[in-house]
Amino acid sequence: MSDSAGHRHDPAPGHPRARHQGGASAASGGAWASAGTMFAGVLLLVQGVLGMLQGIVGIAEDDVYGVIGNYVFKFNTTAWGWIHLVLGLLLAVIGWGILRGASWARVAGVALASLAVIVNFVWLPYQPVWGFISIAIGVFVIWALCSTDRVPGTR
């Protein structure tokens, strides 16, 4: 568009032709989704490390976590420790892959974040507060990895 003096005006924000510095449409929220993907990689890496520590505690000290009564998904804490250790290791590797820009890591991140949400839901009676926090992190990670087409670190 140009006015009578021949000056070019940018369309209003939200207009399909509106652009911001990244070159993506302002309406698409591409910058937010890309930042969310990067943050999801960091969250997966941190959640993985914390999951490994949680698993080591469950394996080494069988009396750290409370033993509950009749629960449908009752495992001993050593079994839960191994589950959290292996899942934490995988989450950390995938988080690192997302931060490095690996395309395989996004798909694996969605799959393992979904698995982590399920595992933490089943783990709720043992650690309710951390279970809810981990579920919320997993849901955010799934959203962030599914909401953008770009891989962090690529243009």
Side-chain angles (χ1 to χ4, degrees), residues 24-73:
S25 171
S28 71
W32 280 102
S34 180
T37 302
M38 198 65 131
F39 188 53
V42 171
L43 283 177
L44 279 179
L45 186 62
V46 170
Q47 189 174 20
V49 170
L50 291 175
M52 285 187 286
L53 293 174
Q54 193 174 15
I56 290 169
V57 167
I59 294 167
E61 296 291 330
D62 208 22
D63 59 347
V64 171
Y65 298 118
V67 178
I68 56 174
N70 295 326
Y71 180 55
V72 176
F73 302 108

Side-chain angles (χ1 to χ4, degrees), residues 45-105:
L45 186 62
V46 170
Q47 189 174 20
V49 170
L50 291 175
M52 285 187 286
L53 293 174
Q54 193 174 15
I56 290 169
V57 167
I59 294 167
E61 296 291 330
D62 208 22
D63 59 347
V64 171
Y65 298 118
V67 178
I68 56 174
N70 295 326
Y71 180 55
V72 176
F73 302 108
K74 184 178 179 183
F75 294 120
N76 65 16
T77 53
T78 304
W80 276 115
W82 281 106
I83 291 169
H84 283 288
L85 180 66
V86 171
L87 185 60
L89 179 66
L90 292 173
L91 288 174
V93 167
I94 290 171
W96 181 253
I98 289 170
L99 293 176
R100 301 286 296 165
S103 59
W104 60 266

